[in-house]
Amino acid sequence: MTPKKKLGRPPTKRLAMLRALVTFLLENGKIETTVTRAKEVRSLAEKMITIAKVNTLHNKRMVMSFITKREVTIKLFDEIAPKYSDKNGGYTRITKLGPRRGDGAEMSIIELV
């Protein structure tokens, strides 16, 4: 699962950052970040939820290879994915907040619907 945008980081650090953001989103339900990061996180998080909708060993291993916490993987398969079993995508919502005070970056909140 490769991200589409570079986000000003080398590939390994970019992937680590996105893995952490997806893990935090699935753990807490919502996070505050920049708009471009939120769009990348949405893509990856929705893929994880779609994979978790079918509870097989192979799918669990695929999700565990991306998500950094075992508890979050268990929560994804037991609580989050069954909630979206009848939906085909659109599991997250991005709400724009306006510019950040320090550098003017456009901020947003990404949350599970």
Side-chain angles (χ1 to χ4, degrees):
M1 297 199 201
T2 57
K4 298 174 190 137
K5 300 212 177 207
K6 293 191 177 182
L7 301 173
R9 286 177 165 62
T12 54
K13 292 182 181 178
R14 177 173 57 238
L15 186 60
M17 176 193 66
L18 291 172
R19 285 176 65 186
L21 285 172
V22 169
T23 303
F24 295 145
L25 173 65
L26 295 174
E27 185 176 26
N28 301 322
K30 92 177 169 182
I31 55 173
E32 183 177 334
T33 185
T34 62
V35 173
T36 47
R37 285 183 189 174
K39 288 178 181 178
E40 290 296 315
V41 168
R42 172 176 48 189
S43 167
L44 296 170
E46 291 199 2
K47 285 177 186 169
M48 290 295 117
I49 293 171
T50 302
I51 291 170
K53 285 165 73 171
V54 180
N55 193 354
T56 63
L57 180 62
H58 176 65
N59 287 351
K60 282 185 180 180
R61 287 180 175 165
M62 284 174 50
V63 169
M64 281 187 195
S65 71
F66 189 79
I67 293 180
T68 58
K69 292 183 181 177
R70 182 178 170 86
E71 302 83 35
V72 177
T73 302
I74 294 168
K75 179 180 178 182
L76 176 63
F77 276 91
D78 294 343
E79 299 172 23
I80 298 171
K83 191 166 71 171
Y84 300 114
S85 62
D86 57 338
K87 279 184 95 171
N88 292 326
Y91 315 121
T92 57
R93 174 189 305 131
I94 296 177
T95 309
K96 294 185 180 179
L97 297 176
R100 183 165 49 195
R101 183 174 177 151
D103 59 355
E106 194 69 30
M107 296 300 288
S108 67
I109 292 178
I110 180 169
E111 59 189 339
L112 297 173
V113 177

